[in-house]
Amino acid sequence: MTKTILIVDGAASLQQVASIVLKGAGYELIEARDGSDALARLNDHNIDLIISDVNMPKMDGIAFMRAVKSLPNQEFTPIIMLTTSSQESMRQEALGAGIKAWMVNPFDRDKLLDMVTRFALP
């Protein structure tokens, strides 16, 4: 069974690179441009994993993650932050709020796939 990943990023170029890597590995992708757009897409799809940026318009990644964790049918969905931000305080806030991992862009293809495999498989 193909696993579905919701990828949320305001930067189309970074989202496109991650999408190419993940589609090439056999994952189905749902793409969103910001946290608000992603929340709307959660209702229409069964999501196995979320990959989100932190810095996005309308709703940042940490606010998005908290909104996801408050939804009864999504509270256990694993979230990986994939971002250009390397702020330790932001990373700690996200980890404390329930993300599974934090990766800084540009990402290493093999590390991303390893992390996705670890968290997207039951």
Side-chain angles (χ1 to χ4, degrees):
M1 174 194 253
T2 302
K3 298 293 182 175
T4 302
I5 298 171
L6 173 62
I7 186 164
V8 190
D9 198 318
S13 60
L14 294 176
Q15 188 178 57
Q16 186 176 23
V17 172
S19 294
I20 290 168
V21 168
L22 296 168
K23 284 180 183 176
Y27 294 99
E28 181 180 331
L29 292 184
I30 308 297
E31 298 180 14
R33 62 187 169 278
D34 59 50
S36 298
D37 183 31
L39 283 174
R41 294 174 188 273
L42 283 174
N43 295 326
D44 300 329
H45 302 281
N46 182 21
I47 304 296
D48 298 295
L49 175 73
I50 298 170
I51 298 175
S52 178
D53 190 5
V54 172
N55 302 308
M56 298 182 290
K58 295 185 185 175
M59 178 185 284
D60 69 40
I62 293 175
F64 165 66
M65 181 204 57
R66 287 191 172 121
V68 169
K69 295 297 182 184
S70 73
L71 298 171
N73 60 339
Q74 299 294 331
E75 64 185 314
F76 298 112
T77 302
I79 300 173
I80 297 171
M81 289 291 183
L82 179 60
T83 183
T84 57
S85 177
S86 60
Q87 268 187 329
E88 184 60 25
S89 62
M90 193 177 293
R91 179 180 171 273
Q92 289 303 318
E93 181 180 2
L95 288 168
I99 67 163
K100 293 293 184 184
W102 179 281
M103 289 188 71
V104 176
N105 259 322
F107 64 89
D108 176 273
R109 177 191 177 281
D110 293 333
K111 285 182 183 177
L112 176 63
L113 290 174
D114 177 57
M115 221 177 273
V116 167
T117 301
R118 192 170 356 141
F119 297 122
L121 295 175

